[in-house]
Each structure stands twice: as C-alpha cells, then as structure tokens.
Amino acid sequence: MTSTRSTPAPTAELETVLDSAKAASEKLESARPGELAGMLRGVADALEGATEELVPLAQRESGLPEGRLRGELVRTTFQLRLFGDVVEEGSHLGATLDSPAPDWPTGARPDMRRVSLPLGPVLVFAASNFPFAFSVAGGDTASALAAGCPVVVKAHPGHPELSRRTAELVTTALREAGAPEGTFALIEGTENSQAAVLDGRVKAGAFTGSNSGGRALFDLACSRNEPIPFYAEMGSVNPAFVTPEAAEQRGGEIARGYLDSYTLGVGQFCTKPGLLFVPQQALREFEETLVPEVRQRGAAPMLSSGIANAFSESLNSLREHSAVRELVTGGHSEDGVTPTLLSTTAEELLANPDELMGECFGPVSLLVGYSDTDQLLEAAAAFSGELTATVQGAENEKVVESLFETLRSRAGRLVWNGWPTGVSVSYAMQHGGPYPATTAPTHTSVGTAAVERFLRPVSFQNAPAAVLPEALRDDNPLGIPRRVDGKLHSA
C-alpha cells in the first residue's frame, strides 16, 4: 500500500548525503575487521585529542558540570575502542558452516554457510541528555560503524555547535583511517530528518529520547513502502522495590542511595528511579530520612528551556493529583531547579496507573507505601515495559524470587541491591526493554551486543568459493571464531 502521509522532500544537501552514504555502504560491506576497527579507534583518538576544546563547548551548551562531561567523553572514546575490539575478534558476525550431509535426518543437507552482513546506511538521532555518549559519536554511531554501516546523524538542537565540531572531528578521523567518503555525515532540522527516515537509501534508524518523539519516528519508519527497523529507546519510570527485611535492616542506607540516584544529573537520566515502593510501616522512617536531605540539595540547571518547561508541566500534573502528598516542594530559580519528593500508596497507584505511573523527566520521584508483599507483587505486575527494575532485598526473603519472576518479563535490566543510574558499557549489558521502554525489546542500545541491530544474516547454499564473504571461506582468512558442523572453533 502506498503511504499518503505528507512529508518533506529531501533537500539537495540531503540528497548528496544519502547518495554518498549509499555509495560508501557498498564499499564498507567488503571492509575487513581490522579496517573497521582502525576507523573506530581513529575516531576515539581524535575525540580524546580534542578534549580541551570539546568539554568547554559542551559545558556552554548543556549546562552540565565539567567533571560529568569529562567522564562522559571518556566513556565515549572507550566504547568506540571496545567496538573496535569486538569487530577485530569477529564473533559478532555469527559465521556458521554446515558441510554437505546426505544422511541428515530431515533430508540431505546441502553445503550451508551463514554470516551477518551490514544492513546499509543508518540514521541516528542524537540525544539531549548525553552530549557525547548518546550523541554524534555515541553508542548508536559506534555500533553502526562497527557493523560496517555508514552513519547519518541528526544533530540534537540542544547542543548544535558541539555537534558540528564533533562531526568535523569524526569525518576527518574516518577519512584518515581510510574510510570511503560518505561513511559519516551530520544533518540538522526536523524536515531533513523526517525525509531521511522515509528515504529508501536509509536502511535502519536509532533514537534515544521521549515516548512521543520515538513513537512518531517509529510509525514513520513503518509507514514506508519498504519498512525499516527503527530502534527507539524511549521513556521509562524504572520502579524500585524495597522488601520488608531490607527496609528494617538498612532503611537509611537505601533512602540515601535512592536520593542520590533520582537526583543524579538533575533527574535527566532515562534510568532514573521514578518510584520507590516501601513497606507502609517503614514509610515514616524513609520520609524522616529523606525530607531534610532533599531540602539540602542545591539548584542545578536542566539541559534546555524546553526540557525544563516539559518537566514543570508534568510535575504540576503529578503534584496536583488528589492521591499524591507533597513531601518536598522543589523550586525554580536562575540557578535551575531543586528536587521534589512526592508520596502515595500502592492502592492509589493501582487505582490511577495512567496518572501516577508515567515518566516525569527531571528531579522528582514518588514514594509508594505498600501494605503487604501481596500488594507489592500486584504493583510490580502493573508495569508494562521498563528499561530497569530494582529490588532492594535480603537474599533469603521469600518475596524476592516471586518479585524477580514478575519483573523479568517487564524490564530489560534487573538491579539487585544497587541503583539503575549508571549504565556500564560492557559485553553483558542490556539497555532496552519491552514497549513502551523501547520499540525493539530483543536488542540493546548500550554494550557490545548493540552492533547486532545493524546486521542482517544471509545464508549461502552450495555457493562457489569465489562469491563467499571471507568470513565463510574454508581457510578462514580473517581468523575469526566460527561454528563448523555444530562445533565452535575459536579461530
């Protein structure tokens, strides 16, 4: 069916970008692992070398503190190099070889060889809350390049100058590393990005941001005559649950850890714990610990006036609800905003899920008192799709196992006796979850498995050696791990 959606046509500049990306895609598909790894490491070196230029620029545009930005830039260069290591090792390609087997139980098996190939040009939407790690040269860009895909980044309007300068550094570094022209480009503006989503030369998209923005772009990608995968990481309230024994044994410690987590980065983390479930009998203790400490937290600026306005609107709606008590009223000043702490009961939450279980992006969280463990489990089951869920408990406590069983179908990452803010860039990380946390619960946007989003498996049946990708040739010229006739071979 042909879409009747009215959308902007590509500008001449966008046409050039997409033509170049398509041409680069054909060349990158044949790039060897070492070449791709060299490109990623070259970008990391370039960004690292420009630290003293980039960090002040990011400070001016985002209002984030210097220490936070320096740490974030380190994370950005680390993940680029980590993807370089992954590419060089080669197991992400899933190379699998099955020899001909005339007596195969389901019928004679032909020579079958399977490997993952790059999808093609990827459109990445930069995020506002991480000007380095989830922006122009962030995790989506790194994982797409690692897959051998050209990247077109739509700059976030919250840090335009940083985006442009970062793009210049990335483009130069890739060129110096031997990447074909068109491997990377930056575009700006809503109309350009919408036109790119709908363009046949773009083969996948990646987004980090709001539910409304992510869903709109996902729907646009699905409206194409040739729909494409669109990996949107969207909103999440990330519930945290304190069991009775944990509250009794270390209530003060848990309360302070919770406060640090929900106010981190002025509450502008997608993994912020938006609700904390506490036994009703321990609620007063938590409030007495938290209220004076929340009031002592100073004001800090939010990322942009738009985000600050959206926060005020959603906060006012939440605090004015009849089921909500306001424990600490946060304020707005020239220096920014101070944290807000609210309270309700599990009974009220379950009666008003749409109003009380939505994301409020900023420094506010909701304490929820529950009457017993049955009600705790009922509340846990009320959630749909979350990036994280946290359990603060005692190991031998009976409710813990049931709580984890309930939460594992509802969240991408389950945190035990810790806090969800702070996402490690590692091999086992899962930063994703069922809808509405993401549009693709089988994938992650952080960690080395993120590269799988931009690869497509292809099987070659009885193919002559000359047409096989190097990863599937008998002599394994790339020296990568492969599964041969069902057995794993390290190289």
Side-chain angles (χ1 to χ4, degrees):
M1 182 185 299
T2 302
S3 172
T4 58
R5 183 187 298 267
S6 176
T7 53
T11 62
E13 181 182 8
L14 181 59
E15 283 283 358
T16 299
V17 165
L18 296 179
D19 275 343
S20 297
K22 181 181 179 181
S25 179
E26 297 167 1
K27 298 175 182 177
L28 283 173
E29 187 170 319
S30 61
R32 307 192 85 195
E35 294 171 332
L36 292 174
M39 295 174 197
L40 291 161
R41 291 166 184 155
V43 172
D45 290 345
L47 296 177
E48 191 172 73
T51 296
E52 301 309 318
E53 175 190 1
L54 295 177
V55 169
L57 187 52
Q59 280 183 271
R60 289 196 298 274
E61 291 194 308
S62 71
L64 294 172
E66 179 182 353
R68 149 78 191 270
L69 289 167
R70 286 185 180 274
E72 190 186 326
L73 185 52
V74 169
R75 168 181 169 164
T76 304
T77 57
F78 169 77
Q79 63 192 8
L80 283 160
R81 293 184 176 115
L82 183 64
F83 275 113
D85 294 342
V86 168
V87 168
E88 211 159 45
E89 187 261 352
S91 61
H92 68 294
L93 298 175
T96 305
L97 287 72
D98 292 337
S99 303
D103 298 324
W104 195 247
T106 58
R109 184 180 74 187
D111 182 285
M112 296 294 302
R113 306 179 185 223
R114 184 178 190 267
V115 71
S116 291
L117 300 175
L119 273 175
V122 174
L123 178 63
V124 170
F125 286 79
S128 63
N129 55 340
F130 284 85
F132 292 119
F134 281 87
S135 191
V136 173
D140 288 334
T141 295
S143 52
L145 289 174
C149 297
V151 174
V152 177
V153 175
K154 190 270 181 184
H156 194 279
H159 43 265
E161 292 302 324
L162 176 66
S163 297
R164 293 166 194 148
R165 182 59 184 136
T166 303
E168 290 173 358
L169 291 165
V170 172
T171 302
T172 300
L174 287 171
R175 184 182 299 118
E176 291 176 351
E181 290 297 319
T183 297
F184 178 89
L186 184 77
I187 63 173
E188 299 183 58
T190 301
E191 290 193 355
N192 259 345
S193 61
Q194 290 179 346
V197 170
L198 291 169
D199 196 281
R201 288 162 289 193
V202 170
K203 300 303 181 183
F207 169 90
T208 299
S210 67
N211 281 89
S212 58
R215 182 54 197 258
L217 290 167
F218 173 76
D219 289 346
L220 197 62
C222 292
S223 76
R224 292 174 36 152
N225 291 333
E226 177 204 351
I228 56 171
F230 192 89
Y231 304 106
E233 185 248 281
M234 301 180 292
S236 184
V237 295
N238 309 299
F241 304 86
V242 183
T243 66
E245 285 189 30
E248 182 179 352
Q249 294 170 7
R250 49 191 178 86
E253 173 194 333
I254 293 171
R256 293 182 181 92
Y258 161 67
L259 173 58
D260 288 341
S261 188
Y262 94 75
T263 60
L264 184 65
V266 203
Q268 298 168 112
F269 280 25
C270 56
T271 52
K272 180 199 78 174
L275 303 99
L276 183 71
F277 290 82
V278 177
Q280 195 69 49
Q281 64 270 24
L283 193 58
R284 180 176 294 276
E285 176 193 348
F286 270 72
E287 291 179 359
E288 289 176 349
T289 300
L290 285 166
V291 167
E293 297 203 19
V294 173
R295 286 176 175 157
Q296 290 175 12
R297 298 286 166 123
M302 299 194 75
L303 290 162
S304 70
S305 59
I307 290 174
N309 291 336
F311 170 63
S312 293
E313 184 177 335
S314 57
L315 175 59
N316 288 337
S317 177
L318 187 59
R319 73 194 340 164
E320 291 170 2
H321 196 282
S322 60
V324 172
R325 287 192 302 132
E326 197 159 4
L327 301 176
V328 179
T329 302
H332 292 254
S333 69
E334 292 182 358
D335 296 324
V337 298
T338 53
T340 295
L341 182 64
L342 307 173
S343 177
T344 191
T345 66
E347 184 178 7
E348 290 283 7
L349 188 88
L350 291 167
N352 302 277
D354 293 339
E355 297 91 339
L356 303 185
M357 293 172 65
E359 183 185 30
C360 188
F361 193 69
V364 60
S365 192
L366 189 62
L367 280 178
V368 185
Y370 65 88
S371 57
D372 54 34
T373 54
D374 286 341
Q375 192 177 62
L376 178 64
L377 292 172
E378 185 183 1
F383 289 91
S384 52
E386 302 292 336
L387 292 172
T388 76
T390 296
V391 177
Q392 293 281 348
E395 287 207 17
N396 297 320
E397 209 168 355
K398 187 177 179 181
V399 71
V400 167
E401 186 175 344
S402 297
L403 195 52
F404 267 87
E405 287 177 357
T406 299
L407 294 172
R408 68 188 184 188
S409 64
R410 292 167 169 80
R413 177 164 58 106
L414 303 180
V415 180
W416 170 251
N417 288 347
W419 298 104
T421 40
V423 181
S424 177
V425 181
S426 63
Y427 299 94
M429 176 52 64
Q430 176 63 25
H431 187 62
Y435 186 86
T438 74
T439 56
T442 56
H443 290 282
T444 179
S445 61
V446 178
T448 59
V451 70
E452 296 169 9
R453 297 175 295 170
F454 307 118
L455 293 167
R456 180 178 63 87
V458 177
S459 285
F460 294 78
Q461 181 172 325
N462 292 331
V467 305
L468 291 173
E470 286 187 299
L472 297 180
R473 294 179 184 172
D474 287 338
D475 58 348
N476 191 11
L478 301 181
I480 62 172
R482 307 193 300 184
R483 183 180 292 275
V484 181
D485 292 331
K487 296 181 180 180
L488 286 172
H489 293 254
S490 59

